[in-house]
Amino acid sequence: MASDQQREGQEDGIRYNTIKVPLYPTPEQARLFEKTFGCCRYLWNRMLADAQRFYRETDTHFIPTPAKYKAEAPFLKEVDNQALIQEHNRLSQAFRVFFKCPEVFGYPQFKRKKERNSFTACNHVFSSGPTIYTTKDGIRMTKAGIVKARFHRRPQSGWRLKRITVEKTPSGRYFCSILYACPIKEPEPVLPTWETTLGLKYSMAHFYVAHNGETADPPHWLKESREKLSTIQKRLCRMQPGSRNYQELVQKYRRLHEHISNQRRDYIHKETRRIANAWDAVCLRDDSLPRMGKAMQSGTVSHSGFGMFRECLRYKLERQGKPLILVDRCFPSTRTCHVCGYVLEEAVPRKLRTWTCPKCGTLLQREVNAACNIKARGWRQYLARQDGPSFSTDRLPRGHR
């Protein structure tokens, strides 16, 4: 224990990394997982119902502990106690964030069986050893024993296992997310320049468009998978619900959905890693994707994964000491000429890909022009934040002062 504290004192902080691995449980272990999912869902609903009833009767907020329910529900003793404790902690956290900011976080809701099945268990280190640890080809869990798993990477030296989360996907596969506490040294801040700063604009046609005209068209195999999904949806509409063929096609539909999600996630991680390594700063407009999807009446915005792209880009830049600059979402990037700064009074129609500036006569590409304006506004914000009251437009490029 003393060596761990000494090692932490030599580092600047702690960062948490997660390794997600597929699980291959035996039939007995799978039944225990299913029982744990049900017990966690049962406990959440009982604690939430009792908390609501207690508040109506006494006007006081109180959440009972899991130990109260084990006498009337003996099946709760058959699963890992840590999973039940974590459900109590999650419900308490849900109420805390709701009371703190009810406009953003909604009131805790009851769980249904059709929703995400998962449970979390914390690792405790005793003199006899830890309660959860990894082996060569598996993970040792409480009550379940060693569950077979396939590791695509291993934790580095100094990483400490904190907790695991076991989940079951709609296609019937089991995964385990292993959370590690990793001592790190804070990266040296990188000072970007105008030439090493990238401006990006979200695009429904190309995923994103950069200020230099570069586009990021999703791979062809992602489009092919979406076409297969559309074909399966049409076949499902012509089948009798509940039949054997219908159930088999539903399972195939779920597996394809999961495959598309994995393809999208793989593409986003590779693209954000390439950008984070190649550029010193990235400027993005802080768009609200759900609001954009409602305005355009299109599900493509929410299914594109651009929100995940933005979050992955943020933490990858942060780990290298590079800034992600978010521009105000109300900034008129599309209808502003990046050459002379003229702003159109009306918005540019979405179907119009090019427009001519009435002041300087420059033919502008709609999305490239918006990316240039986002880069200029983001660079101005960065300089103003660095220089403070002594900010001067002399450091801005000519045409953006």
Side-chain angles (χ1 to χ4, degrees), residues 18 20 33-34 36-38 40-42 44 87 90 110-120 163-171 173-178 265:
T18 302
K20 188 174 182 180
F33 288 165
E34 295 295 333
T36 307
F37 296 150
C40 291
R41 183 171 55 252
Y42 168 84
W44 173 285
E87 286 299 309
R90 285 183 177 181
F110 292 97
K111 290 185 177 181
R112 299 182 301 174
K113 190 175 182 179
K114 294 182 179 179
E115 296 178 354
R116 178 173 178 258
N117 289 319
S118 67
F119 69 87
T120 301
R163 65 171 181 260
I164 61 171
T165 300
V166 179
E167 64 173 332
K168 181 182 179 183
T169 63
S171 61
R173 300 182 63 190
Y174 293 91
F175 289 89
C176 180
S177 299
I178 313 173
R265 187 180 299 109

Side-chain angles (χ1 to χ4, degrees), residues 2 48 56 61 67 77-78 109-111 113 154 167 176 188 245 271 286 303 309 338 355 378 385:
L48 180 57
R56 290 194 301 266
H61 176 68
K77 302 178 182 179
E78 301 176 8
Q109 301 294 323
F110 292 97
K111 290 185 177 181
K113 190 175 182 179
R154 292 284 181 172
E167 64 173 332
C176 180
E188 293 293 333
N245 291 338
E271 190 67 21
D286 190 16
H303 296 161
F309 171 84
H338 74 276
W355 60 280
R385 186 164 58 247

Side-chain angles (χ1 to χ4, degrees), residues 16-23 134 139 149-157 159-167 175-182 319:
Y16 293 95
N17 287 338
T18 302
I19 298 179
K20 188 174 182 180
V21 297
L23 296 179
T134 60
I139 304 174
R150 186 177 74 247
F151 294 88
H152 63 281
R153 68 182 178 124
R154 292 284 181 172
Q156 300 178 10
S157 176
W159 290 19
R160 298 189 306 278
L161 196 155
K162 302 297 291 183
R163 65 171 181 260
I164 61 171
T165 300
V166 179
E167 64 173 332
F175 289 89
C176 180
S177 299
I178 313 173
L179 181 68
Y180 290 94
C182 319
R319 291 183 178 182

Side-chain angles (χ1 to χ4, degrees), residues 190-198 211 278-282 375 379:
V190 177
L191 299 179
T193 61
W194 172 259
E195 291 75 17
T196 59
T197 301
L198 178 68
H211 74 276
W279 300 88
D280 292 342
V282 180
K375 175 183 177 179
W379 182 248

Side-chain angles (χ1 to χ4, degrees), residues 28-316:
E28 293 78 10
Q29 292 171 339
R31 284 193 291 269
L32 178 62
F33 288 165
E34 295 295 333
K35 185 178 295 185
T36 307
F37 296 150
C39 290
C40 291
R41 183 171 55 252
Y42 168 84
L43 186 64
W44 173 285
N45 293 337
R46 285 297 307 273
M47 289 189 300
L48 180 57
D50 290 346
Q52 293 176 349
R53 178 180 56 82
F54 192 83
Y55 183 79
R56 290 194 301 266
E57 295 176 355
T58 63
D59 200 23
T60 306
H61 176 68
F62 173 74
I63 302 178
T65 60
K68 175 187 175 183
Y69 303 97
K70 290 186 177 181
E72 58 183 83
F75 54 85
L76 295 177
K77 302 178 182 179
E78 301 176 8
V79 301
D80 186 7
N81 185 54
Q82 282 296 318
L84 306 181
I85 294 175
Q86 290 303 313
E87 286 299 309
H88 181 270
N89 295 340
R90 285 183 177 181
L91 184 59
S92 301
Q93 176 67 12
F95 273 110
R96 280 196 297 269
V97 297
F98 169 72
F99 293 142
K100 184 177 180 180
C101 187
E103 296 82 9
V104 178
F105 301 97
Y107 187 83
Q109 301 294 323
F110 292 97
K111 290 185 177 181
R112 299 182 301 174
K113 190 175 182 179
K114 294 182 179 179
E115 296 178 354
R116 178 173 178 258
N117 289 319
S118 67
F119 69 87
T120 301
C122 289
N123 180 32
H124 296 280
V125 181
F126 300 103
S127 58
S128 58
T131 57
I132 302 173
Y133 58 87
T134 60
T135 62
K136 181 179 179 181
D137 57 352
I139 304 174
R140 193 271 178 186
M141 305 179 188
T142 307
K143 301 262 184 174
I146 298 179
V147 184
K148 187 178 179 181
R150 186 177 74 247
F151 294 88
H152 63 281
R153 68 182 178 124
R154 292 284 181 172
Q156 300 178 10
S157 176
W159 290 19
R160 298 189 306 278
L161 196 155
K162 302 297 291 183
R163 65 171 181 260
I164 61 171
T165 300
V166 179
E167 64 173 332
K168 181 182 179 183
T169 63
S171 61
R173 300 182 63 190
Y174 293 91
F175 289 89
C176 180
S177 299
I178 313 173
L179 181 68
Y180 290 94
C182 319
I184 61 166
K185 291 184 178 180
E186 293 296 334
E188 293 293 333
V190 177
L191 299 179
T193 61
W194 172 259
E195 291 75 17
T196 59
T197 301
L198 178 68
L200 296 181
K201 169 70 170 65
Y202 170 72
S203 171
M204 291 185 61
H206 303 287
F207 191 65
Y208 74 74
V209 176
H211 74 276
N212 54 9
E214 179 184 354
T215 60
D217 296 309
H220 64 90
W221 36 259
L222 184 57
K223 181 179 179 182
E224 293 173 359
S225 298
R226 289 174 176 172
E227 292 176 353
K228 292 180 183 179
L229 189 67
S230 177
T231 303
I232 293 179
Q233 288 175 331
K234 293 178 182 178
R235 290 178 57 188
L236 282 174
C237 293
R238 296 192 294 267
M239 285 189 174
Q240 179 67 30
S243 63
R244 182 175 180 180
N245 291 338
Y246 181 85
Q247 296 297 336
E248 291 179 355
L249 195 58
V250 166
Q251 190 67 11
K252 185 177 180 180
Y253 174 80
R254 291 172 178 171
R255 288 196 299 266
L256 185 56
H257 248 303
E258 185 177 328
H259 181 64
I260 293 175
S261 176
N262 294 336
Q263 287 180 322
R264 185 189 302 115
R265 187 180 299 109
D266 177 75
Y267 170 74
I268 287 175
H269 277 291
K270 290 179 179 178
E271 190 67 21
T272 52
R273 173 54 60 196
R274 184 189 66 83
I275 295 175
N277 292 341
W279 300 88
D280 292 342
V282 180
C283 301
L284 284 170
R285 197 171 68 173
D286 190 16
D287 293 321
S288 175
L289 299 181
R291 186 177 301 177
M292 290 175 57
K294 292 180 180 179
M296 299 179 183
Q297 297 181 353
S298 173
T300 309
V301 177
S302 57
H303 296 161
S304 64
F306 194 78
M308 181 190 299
F309 171 84
R310 189 165 55 191
E311 180 61 23
C312 291
L313 188 61
R314 180 199 61 78
Y315 83 79
K316 289 177 182 177

